[in-house]
Amino acid sequence: MTNAPSNTRVRRSEPETNEQETESEEQDLACPECAGNLVVDDEHGETVCEDCGLVVEEDSVDRGPEWRAFDAAEKNEKSRVGAPTTNTMHDKGLSTNIDWRNKDAYGNSLGSRQREKMQRLRKWNERFRTRDSKERNLKQALGEIDRMASALGLPTNVRETASVIYRRALDEDLLPGRSIEGVSTACVYAAARQAGVPRSLDEIADVSRVEKNEIARTYRYVVRELGLEVQPADPESYVPRFASGLELSDEAEHRARSLLQNAKEKGVHSGKSPVGLAAAAVYAAALLTNEKTTQAAVSDVADISEVTIRNRYHELLEAEETIGMA
């Protein structure tokens, strides 16, 4: 009996409070001088009355970006909202990924019903991400490119370049009659050479699912059809990797580069495998700088036969002696 009146009084007071808040908000939106409409000028950081021109507020906080754009294209280009797009994913990273682990945001395991629900969501999400055969092809190929690039220790820019080359090959219908693995491997090989971090065909074939002959044939076809500008592999580009694998000093690496430069002057490198020349130069430089290494160790690091190393080793020393005598 005693609680009823108090409850009634509380209910009466609520509408009065809401009306007071509404009146105060209307006053904030109206000019204090003429009750006109207020406009926020973002450029000058001011709140101004449309009718009398009174500056009600100034030096307001600008919550927009620090850059300026003068058209829609420039605005989209400069916008930094969301994750960066990447060519290494078939949808350029614009879709949603559902984690394969059945755990919530706190790391706790999901219940059986939630696990079933997440499994259905993964299945439908996968179907929506690859809606046609072209997207499925691209997804498989980009996965292969990422796998091979990781196995070869190639940087991110090489993966991006290889993905762009594959996309161009797919758009220009170069894939009919060729395997996805073969074209993707050829793209990795071409991208590595373009970026100046080449890998030999034997190294590429070791991590690929196709034969060495098919890789070479597909590579020549892709380069010719797409008009890629790929310079001949420079033996000096292999030297840092071989020297690092053998744990040689900077002096030995510099000496190997000098041997190769002398060989180029004498034309010894013409028609020779750049990998073999680089391996022989590293071996010769190690001997000249009194650092311990063997032909077997160099052969293992460079993935080339000891016979090739011996032959190129003698040719490099002969070119060095010829230049010294001159």
Side-chain angles (χ1 to χ4, degrees):
M1 298 290 294
T2 57
N3 292 335
S6 61
N7 289 338
T8 305
R9 282 196 297 273
V10 169
R11 290 194 188 97
R12 276 197 211 100
S13 63
E14 287 177 358
E16 294 174 1
T17 305
N18 291 336
E19 290 175 3
Q20 291 174 358
E21 290 176 357
T22 304
E23 290 176 0
S24 63
E25 289 175 1
E26 290 178 352
Q27 290 176 358
D28 291 340
L29 296 175
C31 176
E33 292 290 336
C34 65
N37 294 326
L38 298 180
V39 178
V40 178
D41 186 356
D42 293 327
E43 185 176 353
H44 298 92
E46 298 174 343
T47 303
V48 185
C49 175
E50 278 187 323
D51 298 333
C52 65
L54 175 69
V55 178
V56 178
E57 184 181 354
E58 62 180 348
D59 297 331
S60 60
V61 177
D62 183 8
R63 304 184 185 278
E66 79 283 359
W67 44 262
R68 293 192 302 168
F70 301 99
D71 53 31
E74 190 176 359
K75 182 178 180 181
N76 293 332
E77 182 181 348
K78 291 185 176 181
S79 178
R80 295 189 294 270
V81 178
T85 58
T86 173
N87 284 302
T88 58
M89 299 180 69
H90 74 283
D91 51 14
K92 297 191 176 181
L94 298 176
S95 63
T96 302
N97 289 320
I98 301 177
D99 195 4
W100 58 271
R101 292 169 292 191
N102 290 316
K103 293 184 179 181
D104 60 11
Y106 301 100
N108 301 321
S109 298
L110 301 178
S112 59
R113 295 186 64 181
Q114 284 283 38
R115 285 199 300 270
E116 292 176 2
K117 180 180 178 182
M118 295 306 297
Q119 188 61 32
R120 288 196 301 272
L121 286 174
R122 288 192 196 98
K123 180 171 67 176
W124 282 105
N125 181 57
E126 195 65 23
R127 290 178 179 176
F128 284 125
R129 288 184 67 189
T130 53
R131 289 170 291 183
D132 53 28
S133 60
K134 183 176 180 180
E135 290 189 357
R136 286 193 295 271
N137 181 317
L138 193 57
K139 182 181 178 182
Q140 180 182 346
L142 296 181
E144 280 290 299
I145 288 173
D146 188 63
R147 180 188 65 80
M148 288 185 288
S150 297
L152 293 167
L154 296 173
T156 305
N157 65 313
V158 177
R159 305 181 192 199
E160 289 276 351
T161 304
S163 302
V164 171
I165 295 173
Y166 189 89
R167 288 175 184 272
R168 287 186 56 194
L170 186 62
D171 291 338
E172 298 190 21
D173 294 327
L174 302 184
L175 268 69
R178 289 167 180 81
S179 65
I180 295 174
E181 290 83 1
V183 178
S184 58
T185 306
C187 292
V188 172
Y189 183 50
R193 291 186 60 174
Q194 282 187 330
V197 285
R199 298 293 185 268
S200 66
L201 266 178
D202 291 323
E203 291 176 296
I204 295 286
D206 287 341
V207 301
S208 178
R209 293 191 174 98
V210 294
E211 297 295 329
K212 178 180 175 180
N213 292 337
E214 183 181 347
I215 297 172
R217 185 169 57 251
T218 308
Y219 165 75
R220 288 192 296 267
Y221 173 74
V222 170
V223 169
R224 183 177 66 252
E225 294 297 323
L226 296 181
L228 300 179
E229 295 183 2
V230 181
Q231 298 295 328
D234 188 356
E236 289 187 45
S237 61
Y238 293 94
V239 170
R241 186 157 54 92
F242 294 167
S244 176
L246 294 167
E247 297 182 352
L248 299 179
S249 65
D250 292 340
E251 182 186 358
E253 182 179 337
H254 184 269
R255 192 74 178 85
R257 291 179 181 274
S258 176
L259 285 170
L260 289 173
Q261 289 170 2
N262 292 336
K264 289 178 186 177
E265 289 183 15
K266 300 299 294 183
V268 176
H269 70 294
S270 179
K272 306 292 193 307
S273 167
V275 180
L277 281 171
V282 169
Y283 175 67
L287 297 181
L288 292 172
T289 55
N290 297 319
E291 298 189 30
K292 293 182 179 180
T293 189
T294 62
Q295 292 181 7
V298 177
S299 173
D300 186 56
V301 169
D303 194 18
I304 199 166
S305 69
E306 295 181 33
V307 177
T308 303
I309 294 174
R310 282 195 295 271
N311 293 337
R312 301 294 172 266
Y313 163 75
H314 292 300
E315 292 172 359
L316 289 174
L317 292 183
E318 287 175 5
E320 182 88 352
E321 291 175 0
T322 304
I323 291 179
M325 293 172 59

